[in-house]
C-alpha cells in the first residue's frame, strides 16, 4: 500500500489547462494529497499558442525540495511531467532519490512531444535526458511520440498491431521501470486508448474507447494523473489504466460537445465526482 500523497513535478501553465492545473485537481479528486514543485511558470502551454511567457524555475527546484525535506515532508509518490530545461533532469533525479523509500511509487510521464514532433521548448538533448529519467521510474506513461524518442525507433501515427504495442512496452520496461503505459494506443481507426504492460507478469492489457476525432490538449496529463490516482488507491495496473482511459474519454466527449477552443484545455471538472467515487470504491478494498 502506498501513502496517498504525491510530489508533483510539472510546470504551471496559467491558462489552457494541462500539467499542474490538471494534476492537482485530479489527484485531489482521487483522495491523493498533492504538493506542487513547479518546473516553470508559463502564461499558457506551448501547444498552439504563440507569444507565451516562460519563467524557468531550474534554480528553485532543489531549494524547494530541500526545504520540504527539512520540514519532514514525505510522499507516497513522485510524479514528474513537463520539465523546464535540460539541467532540470539531473535535479529531478536527485529529488527522486531524496524522497524515494521502498514504499514510494515513481511515475515519470516523459512529456516532450506529440504527433511525431517535440514541443517547441524541448531540445534533442532534453529528449535524451528524459530517456535517462525513465530508467529510474517504477511506471512510465509516454505517448507514441515520446516512446519512439526514448527507444530510438521511427514514429508511426498508427494504427498498431498488438505485437508492436507489446514490443514498445517491453522496450520501455527493459530500461528499468516495472510498469509501462502507452497512451494513444489503437488497433484501428475506430477506437483509441492506452496499453499497459507489467514486467512482473509479462501481461499486456488494452483499454480502448470510441475515438473522438481531433487533438485535445492536456489529455496526457489528465490520463497520467488519473492513472497515478488509481495505483495509489490500490488498483492493479490494468484497472487503473482502464479507469484513466474512461475518465479521459468522458472528458473528451464533453470538450468536443462544448465547441470550445481545444487549446483552452479539457473540460474535466464535471467528471471529477465520478472519478472520486470510483477511487473511493477502490480504496475500500
Ligand atoms: O500537456 C503537456 C504540456 C505540459 N506543459 C506545457 C506544455 C504541454 C504541451 O504542450 O506546453 C508547458
Amino acid at each position: 500500500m502506498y501513502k496517498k500523497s504525491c510530489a508533483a513535478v510539472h510546470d504551471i501553465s496559467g491558462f489552457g489547462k494541462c500539467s499542474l492545473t490538471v494534476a492537482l485537481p485530479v489527484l485531489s479528486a482521487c483522495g491523493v494529497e498533492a504538493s506542487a514543485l513547479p518546473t516553470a511558470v508559463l502564461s499558457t502551454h506551448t501547444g498552439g499558442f504563440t507569444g507565451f511567457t516562460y519563467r524557468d524555475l531550474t534554480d528553485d527546484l532543489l531549494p524547494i525540495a530541500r526545504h520540504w525535506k527539512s520540514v519532514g515532508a514525505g510522499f507516497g509518490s513522485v510524479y514528474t511531467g513537463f520539465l523546464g530545461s535540460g539541467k532540470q533532469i539531473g535535479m529531478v533525479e536527485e529529488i527522486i532519490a531524496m524522497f524515494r523509500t521502498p514504499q514510494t511509487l515513481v511515475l515519470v510521464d516523459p512529456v516532450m512531444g506529440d504527433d511525431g514532433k517535440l514541443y517547441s521548448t524541448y531540445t534533442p538533448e532534453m529528449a535524451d535526458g528524459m530517456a535517462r529519467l525513465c530508467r529510474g521510474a517504477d511506471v512510465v506513461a509516454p505517448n507514441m511520440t515520446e516512446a519512439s524518442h526514448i527507444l530510438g525507433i521511427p514514429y508511426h501515427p498508427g494504427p498498431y498491431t498488438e505485437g508492436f504495442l507489446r514490443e514498445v512496452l517491453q522496450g520501455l520496461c527493459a530500461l528499468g521501470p516495472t510498469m509501462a503505459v502507452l497512451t494513444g494506443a489503437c488497433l484501428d481507426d475506430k477506437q483509441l486508448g492506452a496499453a499497459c504492460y507489467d514486467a512482473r507478469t509479462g501481461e499486456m492489457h488494452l483499454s480502448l474507447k470510441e475515438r473522438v476525432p481531433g487533438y485535445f490538449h492536456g489529455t496526457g496529463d489528465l490520463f497520467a494523473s488519473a492513472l497515478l490516482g488509481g495505483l495509489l488507491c490500490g488498483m492493479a495496473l490494468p484497472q487503473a489504466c482502464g479507469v484513466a482511459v474512461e475518465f479521459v474519454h468522458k472528458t473528451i466527449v464533453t470538450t468536443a460537445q462544448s465547441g470550445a477552443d481545444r487549446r483552452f484545455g479539457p473540460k474535466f471538472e464535471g467528471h471529477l465526482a465520478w472519478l472520486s467515487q470510483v477511487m473511493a470504491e477502490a480504496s475500500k478494498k
Side-chain angles (χ1 to χ4, degrees):
M1 264 305 208
Y2 302 106
K3 250 179 32 182
K4 284 204 265 175
S5 60
C6 170
V9 189
H10 301 250
D11 72 284
I12 180 153
S13 294
F15 183 75
K17 287 171 282 177
C18 68
S19 44
L20 280 177
T21 60
V22 163
L24 299 183
V26 169
L27 288 167
S28 297
C30 297
V32 176
E33 291 180 50
S35 301
L37 214 175
T39 57
V41 181
L42 293 83
S43 52
T44 67
H45 61 70
T46 65
F49 292 110
T50 53
F52 50 84
T53 70
Y54 190 94
R55 173 88 49 200
D56 171 37
L57 295 183
T58 300
D59 291 341
D60 295 275
L61 286 195
L62 285 171
I64 293 172
R66 288 187 189 121
H67 182 234
W68 286 2
K69 195 75 187 168
S70 78
V71 299
F75 305 100
S77 64
V78 179
Y79 167 31
T80 76
F82 181 98
L83 299 184
S85 70
K87 230 174 122 188
Q88 288 189 357
I89 289 158
M91 293 177 175
V92 170
E93 287 174 316
E94 207 174 322
I95 291 165
I96 290 172
M98 212 184 283
F99 290 103
R100 213 192 225 301
T101 73
Q103 284 81 42
T104 312
L105 187 72
V106 175
L107 190 155
V108 170
D109 182 358
V111 174
M112 55 183 163
D114 216 334
D115 215 9
K117 295 182 285 288
L118 292 180
Y119 295 135
S120 61
T121 57
Y122 272 77
T123 59
E125 296 75 52
M126 273 180 88
D128 291 347
M130 276 297 206
R132 203 179 74 227
L133 192 59
C134 286
R135 293 177 187 272
D138 300 306
V139 193
V140 289
N143 58 31
M144 193 55 93
T145 302
E146 294 153 351
S148 304
H149 260 278
I150 290 165
L151 297 176
I153 58 173
Y155 167 75
H156 293 294
Y160 311 104
T161 63
E162 282 199 36
F164 178 71
L165 293 174
R166 179 181 283 274
E167 263 174 44
V168 171
L169 289 163
Q170 285 177 335
L172 291 167
C173 283
L175 298 175
T178 319
M179 295 172 265
V181 183
L182 196 57
T183 59
C186 58
L187 302 175
D188 55 39
D189 292 332
K190 294 185 185 65
Q191 291 189 309
L192 187 64
C196 65
Y197 177 79
D198 191 323
R200 293 167 298 193
T201 59
E203 281 179 23
M204 179 176 85
H205 283 265
L206 271 162
S207 300
L208 300 170
K209 288 277 172 195
E210 193 186 330
R211 187 190 284 264
V212 180
Y215 177 71
F216 295 85
H217 276 280
T219 48
D221 300 321
L222 206 57
F223 176 85
S225 304
L227 175 78
L228 177 62
L231 293 173
L232 294 180
C233 288
M235 290 182 193
L237 180 66
Q239 191 193 358
C241 183
V243 167
V245 166
E246 194 169 346
F247 175 59
V248 172
H249 182 256
K250 285 175 187 294
T251 297
I252 284 177
V253 170
T254 302
T255 311
Q257 282 172 350
S258 76
D261 186 327
R262 294 188 183 175
R263 296 174 305 169
F264 293 4
K267 293 196 176 290
F268 63 85
E269 295 79 359
H271 300 293
L272 289 178
W274 174 84
L275 188 68
S276 270
Q277 205 172 356
V278 173
M279 295 293 168
E281 278 304 314
S283 299
K284 279 189 212 152
K285 291 191 181 128

